[in-house]
Structure formats: C-alpha cells, structure tokens
Amino acid sequence: MGINRGLRASQQGHLDCLCGIYSLVNALAYLYDGRVKRKPLINALLREYKYHYDIYSLLTGGMDDDEMDYLIQSVLQQGYYYKHHPVIITKPYQKQTHLRTKKIINDISAFINCPNNRYQRVVLIGTQEHWSIIIGADNKYFYFFDSSGNIKAQHSSFSLIYQKTRHTLFSTSIYFIERPF
C-alpha cells in the first residue's frame, strides 16, 4: 500500500464547516481506491444529518463527536454503504482516562503501519477546529488525505492539553477505520 496513489482529496469550501462530512467521504474514497461515488455519499450524509440536527449549525459551526458517531452509525454502519463498502470503525480511547499524547501518537502510527495489515487503514481525527483523515505515519509526521489540502503535520503539533499545541486531540474524536479484504 502506497501512501499517495494518485487520488485527490475532495475539497471543502473555504467558508463552510463541512470538514466532518468531507472526512467521511474521503475516508471511504481512500479505502475503496476512489470507487465510492462521492456525491451520493455526501448527499446521504447531509440528508441523514438534517433529519436529526440543524443543518445551518453544521454549515456554520461544524459537528461534534456525538454527531459524527450518529452519521457513522446511521449511514456507514448499515444500509447501502455497509453492504457495498463495509468498514470496521472503532473508538479506542472513548472510555479511557489518564491518556498520554505520546501513547495515542504511537498507537495511531502502529495502526496505520501494521506489518500484518490485511486491511487498508485510516484514522479519522477531530481536533478543536478540523476533522481529517490520517493515511500514513513515520517517526516525525502524520500524512493526510484532507479536505483542506493539509498534507502532513508533525507529531509534536498534537496534544491532549487544550491549546498547548496547534492541534488539540480529543479522545472521543479518534476513530480507527479499516477496510476488510
């Protein structure tokens, strides 16, 4: 598996807060080598979001992890997308306390770079200002397939301590996603 296979991430508008929606579209597009039809998927996600939440709030303020959980469960983990583009999604830190940033960074790197990888893997992360997809990791950087065009970020730019670094991690907003082969 190469990190960049010539795919191009969908780009969100500069004035909307749809990065959470785009991150789900980009995760499936990446895991299924671009075979997922992006427009129907984004429409399904927006339609389902609209049924339970205020769409204007999404456009202007983005989504939180509870809303992300709802979309994953209602769109990706059942129905058409579950049948045709199945993914295994876990939240390994959801109920953990006393976490350390270094452990999360090491776990993400190990998950992405698993040598016995029978799955293609990505990590969905939500920080204080953006949702993104991690597709690769080395000793210093995470690599992204991102709606804002972000390509990489240093591990040292992430922290669990609010506003200590550029990217604040939230344990409930980290999703390990894998495609079964």
Side-chain angles (χ1 to χ4, degrees):
M1 174 186 96
I3 291 177
N4 184 347
R5 298 185 312 268
L7 293 174
R8 189 172 167 173
S10 299
Q11 298 292 309
Q12 75 182 87
H14 292 280
L15 301 176
D16 65 51
C17 295
L18 292 175
C19 56
I21 298 287
Y22 275 86
S23 68
L24 292 175
V25 171
N26 286 332
L28 256 63
Y30 186 83
L31 290 171
Y32 281 90
D33 299 316
R35 290 189 304 267
V36 172
K37 293 182 177 152
R38 296 177 193 199
K39 189 127 185 165
L41 176 53
I42 201 168
N43 286 335
L45 291 164
L46 289 169
R47 187 172 37 257
E48 191 62 37
Y49 187 94
K50 182 179 76 165
Y51 289 146
H52 286 85
Y53 303 104
D54 176 34
I55 199 81
Y56 183 76
S57 174
L58 173 66
L59 288 168
T60 59
M63 73 169 67
D64 62 25
D65 61 306
D66 291 331
E67 294 164 333
M68 180 64 78
D69 291 346
Y70 174 77
L71 285 179
I72 288 170
Q73 185 60 40
S74 62
V75 177
L76 302 185
Q77 298 290 274
Q78 61 185 356
Y80 175 85
Y81 290 98
Y82 181 72
K83 183 178 178 182
H84 296 282
H85 304 289
V87 288
I88 300 163
I89 302 174
T90 58
K91 291 178 76 174
Y93 310 109
Q94 184 173 17
K95 302 211 187 272
Q96 291 188 26
T97 57
H98 309 298
L99 286 168
R100 299 215 178 261
T101 303
K102 185 174 176 77
K103 177 185 177 6
I104 291 174
I105 288 170
N106 289 339
D107 289 351
I108 289 171
S109 295
F111 178 78
I112 292 288
N113 297 321
C114 178
N116 298 336
N117 192 359
R118 293 185 357 209
Y119 302 90
Q120 191 164 349
R121 299 173 171 195
V122 299
V123 176
L124 167 63
I125 59 166
T127 65
Q128 75 274 23
E129 54 188 41
H130 190 58
W131 288 94
S132 193
I133 300 295
I134 298 173
I135 60 169
D138 60 23
N139 292 339
K140 190 173 183 179
Y141 293 100
F142 287 134
Y143 298 90
F144 300 104
F145 190 60
D146 185 76
S147 62
S148 291
N150 296 328
I151 297 170
K152 67 182 180 177
Q154 289 188 357
H155 295 175
S156 61
S157 68
F158 292 89
S159 177
L160 287 164
I161 300 168
Y162 185 68
Q163 293 186 338
K164 179 180 179 186
T165 57
R166 178 176 169 135
H167 308 289
T168 302
L169 293 171
F170 300 100
S171 61
T172 57
S173 298
I174 301 170
Y175 302 78
F176 284 20
I177 305 173
E178 49 195 334
R179 173 189 169 192
F181 278 100

